Amino acid sequence: MQEHIALMGIVAAMSVGIVSPGPSFVMVARTSVAGSRSQGVGAALGMGLGGMAFATMALLGLQGVLMAVPALYFALKLCGGLYLCYLGFLIFRSAREPLTLDPTTPAGAPRQFGRSLWRGLATQLSNPKTSIVYASVFAAFLPRDFTFGFGVAVALALFAVETSWYTLVALLLSSQGPRKVYLGCKTWVDRAAGVVLFGLGVRLIATSVNE
């Protein structure tokens, strides 16, 4: 009974953070509206895998290592910030390039899907502060002693929440209406997305230096 209550508490608390806009939302939204539905779903799956990785780390107590070794935490935050800056720069630089969809290439091409999945996973894992958020939530709700089955259930539940939310975003934004709007103002949308991701990267770097 205690594990069931803890599971519901963890899922509820993490769900609030998952649906909050951030680098992950920007990345999935832009991939979905500029690419294909398959690419958007691939990115969503990458977000889910990243969430499950953070949950597993929290269950194993690996966040304690990051807090105990400041240099490692600093290095991870710096690398994550640089990745977001790089991703933002790529999107901004390609803002004026016309969007070309190859009609001979299926929307669900494995190469496109896989690339989006890895980019989604990298974006999710680029901010090690997320692991601290997971650790904080888990510390508040996790029982002192829990079974292996409970740990698996928590990791799978958070994977499901992350993947479901971002898949919903991908499905909505890859439909004809949002895509038509995007094509009409692609340059400005891509520039805005690039600036947001770059800014979030700079912020992550700045916080790593100041801490």
Side-chain angles (χ1 to χ4, degrees):
M1 185 65 178
Q2 184 182 9
E3 289 188 345
H4 284 87
I5 296 175
L7 176 60
M8 290 187 292
I10 290 172
V11 171
M14 290 307 306
S15 295
V16 175
I18 289 170
V19 301
S20 301
S24 299
F25 181 88
V26 174
M27 188 270 172
V28 173
R30 199 269 176 182
T31 299
S32 303
V33 76
S36 66
R37 179 163 295 180
S38 174
Q39 288 174 281
V41 172
L45 181 58
M47 297 299 171
L49 291 173
M52 186 164 64
F54 280 132
T56 302
M57 289 176 62
L59 289 167
L60 296 176
L62 295 183
Q63 280 81 6
V65 176
L66 295 180
M67 301 306 293
V69 186
L72 176 60
Y73 186 44
F74 169 79
L76 289 175
K77 289 183 69 175
L78 183 62
C79 290
L82 290 174
Y83 173 76
L84 290 179
C85 288
Y86 173 70
L87 190 60
F89 169 74
L90 290 182
I91 294 175
F92 188 93
R93 186 181 63 176
S94 63
R96 296 183 65 86
E97 296 177 4
L99 182 63
T100 56
L101 299 177
D102 185 357
T104 64
T105 303
R111 184 169 60 88
Q112 294 176 337
F113 181 88
R115 184 180 301 170
S116 296
L117 187 154
W118 283 111
R119 180 167 290 185
L121 177 60
T123 301
Q124 180 77 306
L125 297 179
S126 65
N127 187 0
K129 291 185 73 174
T130 305
S131 67
I132 305 303
V133 174
Y134 268 78
S136 300
V137 172
F138 277 46
F141 292 99
L142 203 64
R144 181 181 298 274
D145 298 307
F146 58 88
T147 63
F148 176 77
F150 171 78
V152 172
V154 169
L156 291 178
L158 293 178
F159 168 78
V161 172
E162 291 262 11
T163 304
S164 298
W165 165 244
Y166 288 114
T167 296
L168 176 62
V169 172
L171 294 178
L172 289 175
L173 295 182
S174 62
S175 58
Q176 285 299 110
R179 180 168 295 187
K180 187 175 181 179
V181 173
Y182 168 74
L183 291 175
C185 49
K186 175 184 181 298
T187 298
W188 296 107
V189 171
D190 281 6
R191 283 178 175 173
V195 168
V196 168
L197 285 175
F198 192 91
L200 290 170
V202 170
R203 181 183 177 186
L204 185 56
I205 293 172
T207 58
S208 67
V209 173
N210 293 330
E211 287 182 352

